[in-house]
Amino acid sequence: GFDREDLDPSAGVNLRLGLSSNLSLDATYNPDFSQVESDAALVTVNERFALFFPEKRPFFLEGIELFATPNQLVYTRQIVNPLVGGKVTTKFGRHNVAHLVALDEQAGADALFTVTRVRRDIGANSTGGLTVTTRDQDGAFNRLAAGDVRVVFGKLYYVAGQLGGSWTRDVRDGAERSSPLWEAEFDRTGRSWGFNYKLTGIGEDFSALAGFVPRVGVTTARAFNRFSFYGARGALVEQFTFFFGPN
Protein backbone atom coordinates (compact mmCIF):
# COMPACT_ATOMS: atom_id res chain seq x y z
CA GLY A 1 0.00 0.00 0.00
CA PHE A 2 0.88 3.66 -0.24
CA ASP A 3 1.86 5.45 2.94
CA ARG A 4 1.95 9.25 2.76
CA GLU A 5 4.60 10.73 5.05
CA ASP A 6 4.34 14.07 6.81
CA LEU A 7 5.26 17.15 4.83
CA ASP A 8 8.89 18.24 5.05
CA PRO A 9 8.87 21.72 3.50
CA SER A 10 12.00 23.59 2.47
CA ALA A 11 12.24 27.27 1.57
CA GLY A 12 14.93 29.52 0.23
CA VAL A 13 15.40 33.26 -0.10
CA ASN A 14 17.27 35.30 -2.69
CA LEU A 15 17.88 39.02 -2.27
CA ARG A 16 19.46 41.62 -4.54
CA LEU A 17 19.80 45.26 -3.58
CA GLY A 18 21.09 47.97 -5.87
CA LEU A 19 22.12 50.49 -3.26
CA SER A 20 23.56 52.83 -5.88
CA SER A 21 24.71 52.72 -9.48
CA ASN A 22 28.10 51.42 -8.33
CA LEU A 23 27.15 49.34 -5.26
CA SER A 24 25.11 46.14 -5.16
CA LEU A 25 24.45 43.49 -2.52
CA ASP A 26 23.44 39.87 -3.22
CA ALA A 27 22.39 37.38 -0.56
CA THR A 28 20.95 33.88 -0.61
CA TYR A 29 19.73 31.28 1.85
CA ASN A 30 19.18 27.67 0.84
CA PRO A 31 19.27 28.50 -2.90
CA ASP A 32 17.48 26.23 -5.37
CA PHE A 33 19.61 25.44 -8.43
CA SER A 34 17.34 22.69 -9.77
CA GLN A 35 16.47 24.70 -12.89
CA VAL A 36 20.08 25.51 -13.80
CA GLU A 37 21.21 24.17 -17.16
CA SER A 38 23.02 20.84 -16.86
CA ASP A 39 26.76 20.62 -17.48
CA ALA A 40 27.93 19.33 -20.82
CA ALA A 41 29.46 15.86 -20.57
CA LEU A 42 33.25 15.73 -20.50
CA VAL A 43 35.45 12.72 -21.17
CA THR A 44 38.04 11.93 -18.49
CA VAL A 45 41.22 11.17 -20.41
CA ASN A 46 43.82 12.01 -17.77
CA GLU A 47 42.44 11.21 -14.32
CA ARG A 48 45.32 12.95 -12.52
CA PHE A 49 43.77 16.33 -13.21
CA ALA A 50 40.28 17.63 -12.36
CA LEU A 51 37.75 18.50 -15.05
CA PHE A 52 36.71 22.13 -15.45
CA PHE A 53 33.00 22.98 -15.59
CA PRO A 54 31.88 26.60 -16.17
CA GLU A 55 29.78 28.33 -13.55
CA LYS A 56 26.06 28.48 -14.43
CA ARG A 57 24.33 29.17 -11.09
CA PRO A 58 22.65 32.60 -11.04
CA PHE A 59 23.85 33.72 -7.60
CA PHE A 60 27.50 33.16 -8.52
CA LEU A 61 27.21 34.41 -12.11
CA GLU A 62 26.18 37.93 -11.06
CA GLY A 63 29.34 40.06 -11.23
CA ILE A 64 31.58 37.02 -11.77
CA GLU A 65 33.82 39.02 -14.12
CA LEU A 66 34.97 41.08 -11.13
CA PHE A 67 36.52 37.94 -9.62
CA ALA A 68 38.56 37.10 -12.73
CA THR A 69 42.24 36.58 -11.97
CA PRO A 70 45.26 35.05 -13.73
CA ASN A 71 45.71 31.31 -13.16
CA GLN A 72 42.03 30.87 -12.15
CA LEU A 73 42.59 31.53 -8.44
CA VAL A 74 38.82 32.03 -7.99
CA TYR A 75 36.50 29.19 -9.05
CA THR A 76 33.08 29.37 -7.43
CA ARG A 77 32.20 25.78 -8.39
CA GLN A 78 34.34 24.78 -5.40
CA ILE A 79 31.32 25.91 -3.33
CA VAL A 80 29.24 22.84 -4.08
CA ASN A 81 26.15 23.08 -1.87
CA PRO A 82 25.85 26.60 -0.40
CA LEU A 83 23.55 26.98 2.59
CA VAL A 84 23.94 30.73 2.88
CA GLY A 85 25.95 33.27 0.93
CA GLY A 86 26.50 36.97 0.51
CA LYS A 87 28.25 39.08 -2.09
CA VAL A 88 29.13 42.75 -2.34
CA THR A 89 30.38 44.40 -5.53
CA THR A 90 31.25 48.07 -5.80
CA LYS A 91 33.28 50.57 -7.75
CA PHE A 92 34.63 53.85 -6.47
CA GLY A 93 37.02 55.94 -8.47
CA ARG A 94 39.53 53.68 -10.15
CA HIS A 95 38.89 50.76 -7.79
CA ASN A 96 36.66 47.70 -8.31
CA VAL A 97 35.96 45.61 -5.19
CA ALA A 98 34.19 42.25 -5.05
CA HIS A 99 33.73 40.21 -1.86
CA LEU A 100 32.00 36.84 -1.47
CA VAL A 101 31.21 34.82 1.68
CA ALA A 102 29.51 31.41 1.59
CA LEU A 103 28.87 28.50 3.93
CA ASP A 104 29.05 25.21 2.05
CA GLU A 105 27.12 22.23 3.45
CA GLN A 106 29.33 19.15 3.41
CA ALA A 107 29.31 15.76 5.09
CA GLY A 108 30.88 15.92 8.54
CA ALA A 109 31.48 19.66 8.77
CA ASP A 110 30.51 22.73 6.78
CA ALA A 111 33.16 24.73 4.97
CA LEU A 112 33.35 28.52 5.14
CA PHE A 113 34.62 30.32 2.04
CA THR A 114 35.65 33.94 1.64
CA VAL A 115 36.84 35.47 -1.62
CA THR A 116 38.02 39.07 -2.05
CA ARG A 117 39.22 40.66 -5.27
CA VAL A 118 40.36 44.29 -5.56
CA ARG A 119 41.35 45.76 -8.92
CA ARG A 120 42.62 49.24 -9.70
CA ASP A 121 42.70 50.88 -13.11
CA ILE A 122 46.10 52.35 -13.95
CA GLY A 123 46.12 54.88 -16.74
CA ALA A 124 43.92 54.21 -19.75
CA ASN A 125 44.30 50.44 -20.19
CA SER A 126 46.53 49.07 -17.41
CA THR A 127 45.37 47.38 -14.20
CA GLY A 128 46.67 46.08 -10.89
CA GLY A 129 44.88 43.63 -8.63
CA LEU A 130 44.95 41.76 -5.33
CA THR A 131 43.20 38.44 -4.61
CA VAL A 132 42.68 36.87 -1.18
CA THR A 133 40.75 33.64 -0.59
CA THR A 134 40.18 31.45 2.48
CA ARG A 135 38.55 28.11 3.17
CA ASP A 136 38.03 26.83 6.73
CA GLN A 137 36.61 23.45 7.68
CA ASP A 138 36.82 21.62 11.01
CA GLY A 139 40.24 22.98 11.98
CA ALA A 140 41.74 22.72 8.51
CA PHE A 141 42.29 25.81 6.42
CA ASN A 142 43.55 27.11 3.11
CA ARG A 143 44.76 30.70 2.70
CA LEU A 144 45.77 32.24 -0.60
CA ALA A 145 47.00 35.73 -1.48
CA ALA A 146 48.29 36.98 -4.82
CA GLY A 147 48.93 40.28 -6.55
CA ASP A 148 48.89 40.83 -10.30
CA VAL A 149 49.59 43.67 -12.71
CA ARG A 150 49.05 44.27 -16.42
CA VAL A 151 50.69 47.27 -18.12
CA VAL A 152 49.78 48.22 -21.70
CA PHE A 153 52.15 50.46 -23.67
CA GLY A 154 52.97 51.44 -27.22
CA LYS A 155 49.43 50.44 -28.34
CA LEU A 156 50.73 46.97 -29.32
CA TYR A 157 52.49 45.70 -26.18
CA TYR A 158 51.69 44.64 -22.66
CA VAL A 159 53.62 43.09 -19.82
CA ALA A 160 51.88 41.20 -17.03
CA GLY A 161 52.95 39.50 -13.84
CA GLN A 162 51.56 37.69 -10.84
CA LEU A 163 53.11 36.79 -7.49
CA GLY A 164 51.45 34.99 -4.61
CA GLY A 165 51.38 31.98 -2.34
CA SER A 166 49.19 29.59 -0.41
CA TRP A 167 49.22 28.38 3.20
CA THR A 168 47.36 25.18 4.06
CA ARG A 169 46.75 23.03 7.14
CA ASP A 170 45.55 19.46 6.63
CA VAL A 171 42.86 18.19 9.00
CA ARG A 172 44.17 14.62 8.87
CA ASP A 173 47.60 15.16 10.38
CA GLY A 174 47.58 18.88 11.22
CA ALA A 175 50.60 19.45 9.01
CA GLU A 176 51.03 22.93 7.56
CA ARG A 177 52.60 23.68 4.20
CA SER A 178 53.08 26.66 1.92
CA SER A 179 54.22 27.26 -1.64
CA PRO A 180 54.59 30.17 -4.06
CA LEU A 181 53.05 30.97 -7.42
CA TRP A 182 54.54 33.38 -9.93
CA GLU A 183 54.07 34.36 -13.56
CA ALA A 184 55.64 36.76 -16.08
CA GLU A 185 54.25 37.54 -19.53
CA PHE A 186 55.23 39.74 -22.50
CA ASP A 187 52.91 40.19 -25.48
CA ARG A 188 52.82 42.01 -28.79
CA THR A 189 49.62 42.14 -30.86
CA GLY A 190 50.49 43.56 -34.26
CA ARG A 191 48.89 43.16 -37.64
CA SER A 192 51.89 41.50 -39.28
CA TRP A 193 53.92 40.30 -36.30
CA GLY A 194 52.80 39.20 -32.88
CA PHE A 195 54.12 37.12 -30.01
CA ASN A 196 53.36 35.97 -26.49
CA TYR A 197 56.11 34.85 -24.11
CA LYS A 198 55.00 33.47 -20.77
CA LEU A 199 56.79 31.84 -17.83
CA THR A 200 54.74 30.35 -14.98
CA GLY A 201 55.90 28.60 -11.81
CA ILE A 202 53.64 26.82 -9.28
CA GLY A 203 55.15 25.36 -6.11
CA GLU A 204 54.86 21.70 -5.18
CA ASP A 205 52.63 22.37 -2.15
CA PHE A 206 50.57 25.16 -3.70
CA SER A 207 46.85 24.72 -3.02
CA ALA A 208 43.89 26.82 -4.20
CA LEU A 209 40.80 25.28 -2.58
CA ALA A 210 38.68 28.24 -3.69
CA GLY A 211 40.20 28.24 -7.20
CA PHE A 212 41.03 25.88 -10.03
CA VAL A 213 44.74 25.08 -10.30
CA PRO A 214 44.77 21.42 -11.39
CA ARG A 215 48.53 20.97 -11.71
CA VAL A 216 51.18 22.02 -9.18
CA GLY A 217 54.91 21.43 -8.77
CA VAL A 218 55.62 22.54 -12.32
CA THR A 219 57.29 25.37 -14.23
CA THR A 220 56.07 26.04 -17.76
CA ALA A 221 57.51 28.27 -20.48
CA ARG A 222 55.82 29.22 -23.74
CA ALA A 223 57.15 31.19 -26.70
CA PHE A 224 54.38 31.79 -29.23
CA ASN A 225 55.14 33.74 -32.42
CA ARG A 226 52.93 34.79 -35.34
CA PHE A 227 53.77 36.24 -38.74
CA SER A 228 50.99 37.35 -41.10
CA PHE A 229 51.23 38.36 -44.77
CA TYR A 230 48.40 40.24 -46.46
CA GLY A 231 48.04 40.29 -50.24
CA ALA A 232 45.88 42.54 -52.33
CA ARG A 233 42.13 42.04 -52.34
CA GLY A 234 41.24 39.48 -55.00
CA ALA A 235 44.81 38.17 -55.26
CA LEU A 236 45.55 34.43 -55.37
CA VAL A 237 46.71 34.64 -51.72
CA GLU A 238 44.97 37.34 -49.70
CA GLN A 239 46.32 36.27 -46.31
CA PHE A 240 48.94 33.85 -45.03
CA THR A 241 49.71 33.34 -41.32
CA PHE A 242 52.56 31.31 -39.85
CA PHE A 243 52.70 30.23 -36.17
CA PHE A 244 55.67 28.72 -34.38
CA GLY A 245 57.18 28.41 -30.93
CA PRO A 246 58.10 25.87 -28.27
CA ASN A 247 56.35 24.91 -25.01
Side-chain angles (χ1 to χ4, degrees):
F2 179 79
D3 183 18
R4 182 183 300 275
E5 298 179 350
D6 294 335
L7 292 176
D8 184 17
S10 178
V13 176
N14 295 286
L15 174 68
R16 175 171 175 79
L17 294 176
L19 302 178
S20 71
S21 60
N22 294 324
L23 175 62
S24 63
L25 170 67
D26 294 83
T28 186
Y29 171 75
N30 195 26
D32 177 18
F33 298 134
S34 62
Q35 302 303 313
V36 174
E37 178 187 359
S38 299
D39 292 315
L42 298 179
V43 178
T44 304
V45 177
N46 190 336
E47 295 185 354
R48 294 180 298 168
F49 306 127
L51 297 177
F52 179 86
F53 292 94
E55 182 61 85
K56 299 180 179 181
R57 299 171 294 178
F59 172 75
F60 295 105
L61 278 177
E62 189 70 36
I64 196 171
E65 69 281 357
L66 298 177
F67 292 96
T69 174
N71 287 298
Q72 198 78 41
L73 298 184
V74 177
Y75 180 51
T76 52
R77 289 292 293 260
Q78 294 281 20
I79 307 171
V80 180
N81 186 27
L83 173 63
V84 61
K87 180 170 53 178
V88 178
T89 56
T90 183
K91 180 175 182 179
F92 54 94
R94 292 179 172 269
H95 295 83
N96 290 275
V97 180
H99 180 66
L100 169 68
V101 180
L103 185 65
D104 193 22
E105 283 191 292
Q106 298 188 7
D110 296 341
L112 178 64
F113 286 82
T114 68
V115 177
T116 304
R117 170 74 174 165
V118 180
R119 191 187 69 196
R120 175 181 168 82
D121 297 331
I122 304 171
N125 299 305
S126 303
T127 60
L130 176 66
T131 305
V132 177
T133 70
T134 68
R135 182 186 186 275
D136 293 87
Q137 183 183 26
D138 195 25
F141 64 77
N142 175 245
R143 311 274 190 265
L144 184 150
D148 57 87
V149 64
R150 176 187 171 101
V151 179
V152 179
F153 61 96
K155 297 183 179 181
L156 301 178
Y157 299 89
Y158 76 79
V159 292
Q162 185 178 45
L163 179 64
S166 71
W167 299 263
T168 307
R169 182 167 66 196
D170 198 328
V171 69
R172 290 171 295 182
D173 55 12
E176 297 189 14
R177 60 188 187 275
S178 62
S179 266
L181 173 144
W182 50 267
E183 181 174 279
E185 183 179 11
F186 182 34
D187 184 277
R188 183 186 196 274
T189 305
R191 185 171 186 269
S192 298
W193 174 41
F195 59 75
N196 182 274
Y197 304 142
K198 181 184 287 187
L199 186 64
T200 304
I202 305 176
E204 185 176 11
D205 292 321
F206 185 84
S207 180
L209 296 185
F212 186 83
V213 183
R215 188 176 184 185
V216 298
V218 63
T219 300
T220 60
R222 180 183 71 179
F224 172 84
N225 298 271
R226 172 186 56 82
F227 287 97
S228 298
F229 167 78
Y230 299 91
R233 184 181 297 274
L236 179 63
V237 178
E238 292 189 358
Q239 179 179 346
F240 177 78
T241 303
F242 177 63
F243 303 94
F244 69 95
N247 288 293

